[in-house]
Amino acid sequence: MYKNISLSSKAQGLILVPIHSETAGKSPRWPKSARAHDGCQNAVSAGTFMAEAGATFTVGTTHMLVGLGPVEGFSTDRMRTVGAKVGRALDKISSSAIAIDNSASWGSDADAKRAMGGAFAEGISLGTWRFDALDGTATKREARKAPLTLWADDAAVRDGFAHGLIIADGVNTARRIGATPPNIANPAWIAAESKKIARDGKMKVRVIDYAQARKLGMGGLTSVGQGSAIKPCIVVIEWTPRKISARNKSDHLVLVGKTVTYDTGGYSLKVNNGMKGMKYDKCGGAAVMGAMQTIAALKVPMRVTGILAVAENMVSNDSYRPDDIIKLHNGITVEVTNTDAEGRLVLADALSWACDTMKPSAIVDIATLTGGVGVALGHFCAGYFCNQPNLAKQVEDSATSTGELVWRLPLWPAHQEFMRSQHADILNSNPLRAAHPIQGAAFLSYFVKPEIPWAHLDIAAMATAESANEVTGGGPTGWGVRLLVDMVEQRS
Ligand code: BES
Ligand code: MN
Ligand code: ZN
C-alpha cells in the first residue's frame, strides 16, 4: 500500500500504454514509446492481452499495457474502475512512478481530458487505500511503504490527476472515519478529528457541547446522546475563502451530516445481529468531514459550512425511552415511538439551528437514515428528497457527473400529516411501518424553513459496500464526498 500518491514533476517511471479492447488482436496505433517495443505488439497479437477494462500486462521492465475496455460506453465511471485496478496491479509489483503515454486520446477537449484524468487518479488512490491504523503484531499486511507518483504526457490530464488526488484524499478521510471503531470514534473523537481537518485546511471550527446544546433547546440531539458516557455535540466547520467571486458573494451552502458514532437502537434495541456494522452510522457526517477537507484543499471560491450532529445511541439508566415526549430546537414537540429512529432527532436540531443562525442559501443533509431506503432502491443509488427544483437539478447533475447516483422520492403534505401525534406535535416514527425513508424525510421537513432550498440524501445503503464495489472493495465507501464537492464546484 502506498504511503502517499502525488503528481510527478516530470515524466518518469513505468510507461503505461492504455488501449481499447477493439484493437486487441489487431495492431493498435501505438504511441511512439511503445512502437519501438516489440513486446507490446506481441502481447496484443498473441491474444495474451485483450484490453478488458482494468486489465494490465507488463512488458519487460519499462512498459505496462492497460485495458480500457470497448470504446463504446467509455466513461469516467469506467475510468475510475480502471484506475483502481491499475493501482492495485502497481502496488503488487511495487512500482513507484508511472507515466501515461498518449493521454491526449483520453478526451476531445481539455474538460473531457481533465475529467478522465481525475477519474483515473481517483481510482488509483481509492483502489489502493485501506484502513491500517489498527494493524497489530499479528498482521499479515505489509506496512505502507513507498510513495507513488503519477505523470501524463497531456497537461489537461495532469490537471485532472491533481484534482482527482485531492478528491480521493477527502473520500479516504471519510472511509477512515467510517472504519474507526466505536470504542475509539466516540463523539469527542469526532470533534477532535474535525479540529485537525479544520486546522489543516485553515478553516474555523467550533463545538457546541452537551451543556450548550441543552441551553439551545436541542432536545433531539441531547435525548439521543444522553445515554452515553461520552455526551453528544454539534461540530461546525466553516470554509470562508480569501477571495469570493462577485457571483458567490451571497451564496452559502450548508452541509449537515448524521454522525451517530454507534447506533445500538437504544431501548428499541437492534436485534438479531442488526447492530453489527452500526459504527457506519456516522458515515453521513464522515462524508461532510471529507467534503470539507477537499473543499478547503481546492480553495473553492464560495462559503461552505459543514455541520455534524454527533451522538452515540446507547442503552443506560440515563437513556431516553419510547414514550418520552421531547422538545426540539424550533419548539416542536416529538413523541418518541422508537428510540432507533434517532438519526432524524439529531439532524432536526442541527437543521433548525442552521436555518436560524447560518443564513444558508441552501442546505444539503446526508444521513444513513433508514434501512428502508435499501429495500426500496437497493445499493444502486441513494434516495433523495428536495423541496426546490433548482437544487434538485444540482443534486442530479452532480450525481451524474460523479457517478454517485441518486433517485428522487416523494415528500407530500400527506406524508407530513402521517407523522402527527396524539399527545405531542409529531412522532419520530409512525408505528404503521410504511414508507420509512419518506417518514424520515417528512419528519426532517418540520425543521427546515420552507423558503430555504433543502435536499436530504438517505445513504444508508450506499455508505458501505459488499465486495461488489470494484473501486473501494468492501467496507466504507466514502459515498457522498464526490457528490457534495461537485455540487460546491458547480455552484461556485
Ligand atoms: N442507522 C439506522 C439505519 C440503518 C439501517 C443504516 C441499516 C444502515 C443499515 C437508523 O437509525 C435506524 O435504525 N432506522 C430504522 C428506522 C425505524 C426505526 C423507523 C430502520 O431503518 O429500521
Ligand atoms: Mn437507529
Ligand atoms: Zn441510526
Side-chain angles (χ1 to χ4, degrees), residues 76-77 80 384 386 389-408 457 482-491:
T76 49
D77 276 341
R80 195 173 298 107
Y384 93 99
C386 191
N390 288 338
L391 184 63
K393 184 173 182 310
Q394 286 171 30
V395 171
E396 296 198 4
D397 287 350
S398 290
T400 308
S401 72
T402 60
E404 292 194 323
L405 301 181
V406 297
W407 193 257
R408 193 170 180 178
L457 302 170
R482 293 193 285 114
L483 176 87
L484 294 174
V485 170
D486 192 75
M487 283 187 71
V488 170
E489 289 194 295
Q490 298 304 327
R491 279 179 88 99

Side-chain angles (χ1 to χ4, degrees), residues 72-154:
E72 170 91 37
F74 190 55
S75 64
T76 49
D77 276 341
R78 197 197 300 159
M79 189 57 124
R80 195 173 298 107
T81 305
V82 168
K85 291 184 173 171
V86 168
R88 291 190 282 262
L90 293 169
D91 197 9
K92 238 181 232 149
I93 60 170
S94 300
S95 175
S96 62
I98 59 166
I100 314 286
D101 206 349
N102 200 22
S103 60
S105 68
W106 282 7
S108 49
D109 60 20
D111 280 350
K113 288 189 272 188
R114 212 173 286 123
M116 278 297 171
F120 182 78
E122 281 172 22
I124 292 214
S125 177
L126 298 175
T128 56
W129 181 88
R130 64 160 198 255
F131 182 75
D132 63 353
L134 298 176
D135 284 359
T137 50
T139 186
K140 286 182 169 177
R141 299 191 291 214
E142 272 183 68
R144 293 167 191 245
K145 22 174 219 273
L148 173 69
T149 66
L150 315 181
W151 173 262
D153 55 350
D154 182 273

Side-chain angles (χ1 to χ4, degrees), residues 232-254:
C233 61
I234 297 272
V235 178
V236 185
I237 310 171
E238 291 175 84
W239 166 247
T240 311
R242 279 252 184 81
K243 268 191 290 178
I244 305 185
S245 59
R247 75 182 259 255
N248 299 330
K249 263 269 149 52
S250 59
D251 200 5
H252 180 204
L253 187 65
V254 173

